[in-house]
Amino acid sequence: MANTIRIRAVASGDTTEVQSLIRHPMDSGFVKDSKGQLIPPHHIEVVQFEHGGKVVFTALWGPAVSKDPYLKFSFQGGKKGDDLKVSWVDNKGESDSFVGKIQ
Amino acid sequence: MLRKVCLAAAIVAVTAQPLLAASGVDPQADFKAFRKYFTERFPKVPLNDFVNGPYSMDEGLRKQWKAIDEFPPYEFAVDQGKQMFETPFKNGKTYADCFPNKGIGVRQLYPMFDEKSGEVVTLDVAINKCREANGEKPYDYSKDDMAALTAYMAYTSRGKPMDIKIPNDPRALAAYKAGEEYFYTRRGQLNFSCASCHVQNPGNHIRSEVLAPALGILNAMPIYRSAWGGMGTTSRRLRSCNSQVRGTPLSAESPEYRNVEYFLSYMANGLPISGPGARP
Amino acid sequence: MMFSPDASGRTRRTILKGAIAGGLAGLTLGSFPFPAFADADAKQWPQDAFKQKSEADALKALYGKPAEASDKVSLDAPEIAENGAVVPITVDSSLPNVTGVAILVLENPFTLAAAYKIPEGTKPAVASRLKMAKTTKVVAVVESGGKLYSATKEVKVTVGGCGG
């Protein structure tokens, strides 16, 4: 699988602002395909962000989160060049992770 | 002014621009009238903002767009397109070998009139010609691969002013004229022309959508539409326009679509490329 | 099911220290998948809470208590969604010691849309994009000092985000 995670993390003062975009269909389970069959739910359940050995943010998502989901949050600490790890897992057990650098 | 001089010279010299004068096709005069109409109707919209479509017309939409554009969903397509663009064909050549400036920052030159074939060549058509010339299968004009590749090529052209040339060639003028006629002709069960929505009613709602102004409407192509949940090419958008007025969509990159793209892009000359765009 | 604030984070830090002491510190990090980091774990997902069909039931399942309205919770949502498939929603709060943020879309088939765990040091401000089936009240809930506070706003949806 091509990398599904894009992150943009920028340190400014003592705060790091994180934005992420994950490529995922986030099928709600309520939409029908072109043949009239319901597309079964397929959505990310948990996204975790880690910095310096600590979880700095956890998202718990249901099927109402938009396709190719976006997130923005900020945490204290983090400096340019630090690693920031993102990982997700969905309701089918598929997962991906990515380590990016804070800018 | 310049055109007046040209025309006068043509009449005097008889041969300089006989086709232009005889056919009654005057792209420059159309351009001026078109520009005047939009700038007078929407005096508060900065000229370069028209390329942002419905977001130039509606404050509430604009705010949502700004939020979405902080990390736009088309970024995956731009990445994919870059990879496609840089991957050599089986014969070792690349897209760079087919385009001016190696294909970087050239979106604003299309559609281009091809004097050899006498047809209007859009960026999408140029891409497939390049593929076929190098022994590769063409992409589907309505599908994601073409959208991704054009998204990347548009991305490298952002901010460059649209620069469409209509040579004084009867075939080019005829294509332009046909595009203009297509744009103003009513069709479909709703009996709407392109202009009914995008000239007469930009900023107004049709059902739930805010209509985009025709001026600069193609500068954002290709677009990621929330309604599609994905990227779409210019062809895909034109086909869905036809469906929305309950007309019959033409085949993608049919001469009519190419011609209307030629007409609209010429009208947008000087306005910046903003694609790929995000739209509702 | 309730959240426990970040026991997992601490465990991980312990492992990390162990790994460094164990001599892995010399490795170049870069995009190397650092073995001491555990990935997102689906066990954390509060399945019950995401099945509920009312605000009260969702909050009960998620936090075990109801919320009270507060002007210290801010909810930024469009008045008219450009498309129900993608509605940008931002929650922010001036409350101290925030441990969680949740967003509920009352007219959706399941009420709870998203919940966020906010460890110490992370700001109680989150932006995300949600689907809305039709015109609906959206409720932002913030957990602060063990209590729940909320803000509500109506979003008009003319093109629903569930129909396709």
Side-chain angles (χ1 to χ4, degrees):
Chain A
M1 189 180 352
N3 181 31
T4 61
I5 301 169
R6 291 179 66 91
I7 55 174
R8 213 180 276 156
V10 181
S12 162
D14 65 345
T15 303
T16 300
E17 185 186 86
V18 182
Q19 294 184 89
S20 71
L21 196 67
I22 301 174
R23 185 167 212 170
H24 198 283
M26 298 301 282
D27 291 319
S28 66
F30 297 102
V31 178
K32 287 177 181 164
D33 64 16
S34 53
K35 290 175 191 147
Q37 302 285 316
L38 274 180
I39 302 165
H42 182 203
H43 63 88
I44 292 175
E45 291 185 337
V46 182
V47 193
Q48 183 170 285
F49 293 78
E50 298 169 25
H51 169 258
K54 180 176 180 280
V55 174
V56 293
F57 193 79
T58 306
L60 304 165
W61 283 344
V65 172
S66 301
K67 184 184 175 188
D68 295 341
Y70 165 83
L71 258 180
K72 178 160 91 171
F73 70 95
S74 28
F75 67 95
Q76 282 183 323
K79 57 182 192 304
K80 203 178 162 181
D82 282 2
D83 281 342
L84 181 74
K85 178 173 169 177
V86 188
S87 59
W88 61 258
V89 60
D90 71 18
N91 65 325
K92 292 184 177 176
E94 292 168 8
S95 63
D96 196 10
S97 66
F98 179 74
V99 180
K101 295 276 182 207
I102 295 174
Q103 293 165 348
Chain B
M1 187 64 176
L2 184 62
R3 159 142 171 84
K4 232 181 232 167
V5 175
C6 284
L7 200 61
I11 291 163
V12 172
V14 189
T15 54
Q17 296 207 347
L19 299 159
L20 177 62
S23 63
V25 183
D26 190 345
Q28 278 196 43
D30 295 345
F31 174 90
K32 277 186 195 157
F34 202 85
R35 191 64 51 98
K36 185 165 179 279
Y37 172 83
F38 281 97
T39 50
E40 284 180 0
R41 172 134 180 215
F42 301 103
K44 286 184 188 154
V45 176
L47 185 59
N48 284 349
D49 201 33
F50 281 100
V51 300
N52 296 317
Y55 306 123
S56 66
M57 303 274 117
D58 185 289
E59 204 44 51
L61 278 188
R62 190 180 186 87
K63 206 179 152 209
Q64 292 172 68
W65 169 54
K66 287 287 177 195
I68 287 168
D69 217 43
E70 276 198 54
F71 214 143
Y74 53 71
E75 287 209 3
F76 288 111
V78 173
D79 272 4
Q80 188 201 332
K82 182 171 196 283
Q83 206 170 30
M84 291 163 74
F85 186 87
E86 289 168 355
T87 306
F89 302 127
K90 283 185 226 76
N91 66 6
K93 297 209 170 188
T94 65
Y95 290 107
D97 297 312
C98 298
F99 287 92
N101 199 40
K102 298 188 172 167
I104 301 299
V106 298
R107 163 68 185 90
Q108 71 283 358
L109 304 174
Y110 293 86
M112 199 182 261
F113 181 75
D114 178 28
E115 302 203 350
K116 269 190 205 149
S117 65
E119 59 176 357
V120 172
V121 175
T122 62
L123 180 62
D124 305 47
V125 167
I127 285 169
N128 270 351
K129 279 183 187 289
C130 176
R131 291 183 62 78
E132 289 178 298
N134 287 288
E136 301 283 333
K137 278 188 187 154
Y139 288 132
D140 186 317
Y141 284 122
S142 297
K143 295 273 167 67
D144 291 351
D145 282 339
M146 183 59 89
L149 191 54
T150 53
Y152 171 67
M153 292 182 78
Y155 190 75
T156 67
S157 316
R158 277 196 170 174
K160 294 197 185 286
M162 190 70 95
D163 187 15
I164 305 303
K165 306 248 184 330
I166 301 178
N168 187 22
D169 177 316
R171 298 167 302 172
L173 289 162
Y176 167 86
K177 181 74 182 164
E180 183 184 34
E181 275 170 9
Y182 186 86
F183 183 78
Y184 289 105
T185 302
R186 289 175 177 272
R187 62 178 63 81
Q189 283 175 27
L190 299 186
N191 200 29
F192 280 12
S193 68
C194 307
S196 308
C197 288
H198 301 290
V199 174
Q200 290 167 24
N201 285 296
N204 293 334
H205 285 78
I206 182 161
R207 297 196 203 99
S208 59
E209 293 184 49
V210 174
L211 291 163
L215 178 59
I217 198 167
L218 297 178
N219 292 44
M221 290 293 163
I223 50 174
Y224 183 103
R225 285 190 81 200
S226 301
W228 292 334
M231 291 296 298
T233 58
T234 306
S235 294
R236 186 174 176 190
R237 188 67 192 95
L238 290 171
R239 283 171 58 82
S240 64
C241 275
N242 282 153
S243 300
Q244 280 171 315
V245 300
R246 310 231 177 108
T248 311
L250 304 173
S251 62
E253 298 295 344
S254 63
E256 290 89 340
Y257 283 166
R258 292 193 210 183
N259 292 342
V260 80
E261 190 176 339
Y262 196 36
F263 164 71
L264 279 170
S265 301
Y266 183 78
M267 291 297 115
N269 264 351
L271 299 191
I273 296 297
S274 63
R279 295 289 183 269
Chain C
M1 186 179 296
M2 284 185 243
F3 298 156
S4 59
D6 261 318
S8 54
R10 247 167 288 169
T11 311
R12 205 156 287 120
R13 190 190 287 159
T14 314
I15 297 169
L16 179 63
K17 273 184 190 156
I20 292 168
L24 283 171
L27 281 174
T28 312
L29 293 179
S31 60
F32 184 75
F34 203 61
F37 285 135
D39 287 338
D41 185 351
K43 287 195 203 83
Q44 293 188 70
W45 196 62
Q47 193 177 356
D48 271 5
F50 279 106
K51 277 187 190 159
Q52 302 306 318
K53 300 192 172 192
S54 75
E55 178 184 357
D57 289 346
L59 290 180
K60 196 176 164 198
L62 190 62
Y63 297 112
K65 57 202 164 209
E68 61 176 86
S70 166
D71 60 6
K72 293 197 167 66
V73 176
S74 100
L75 167 59
D76 189 10
E79 273 175 38
I80 303 171
E82 66 161 35
N83 188 303
V86 189
V87 186
I89 300 285
T90 301
V91 181
D92 199 349
S93 175
S94 56
L95 291 161
N97 306 318
V98 171
T99 47
V101 169
I103 306 163
L104 292 76
V105 181
L106 302 195
E107 296 296 327
N108 273 1
F110 300 119
T111 308
L112 179 63
Y116 300 104
K117 293 196 205 182
I118 311 288
E120 199 182 335
T122 294
K123 294 191 173 180
V126 186
S128 42
R129 300 169 188 162
L130 304 178
K131 287 178 250 184
M132 300 185 187
K134 53 185 164 181
T135 296
T136 181
K137 280 193 170 125
V138 176
V139 181
V141 176
V142 170
E143 185 183 38
S144 158
K147 286 188 169 176
L148 298 183
Y149 303 90
S150 70
T152 303
K153 200 174 166 188
E154 185 172 84
V155 175
K156 285 199 179 70
V157 177
T158 47
V159 181
C162 290

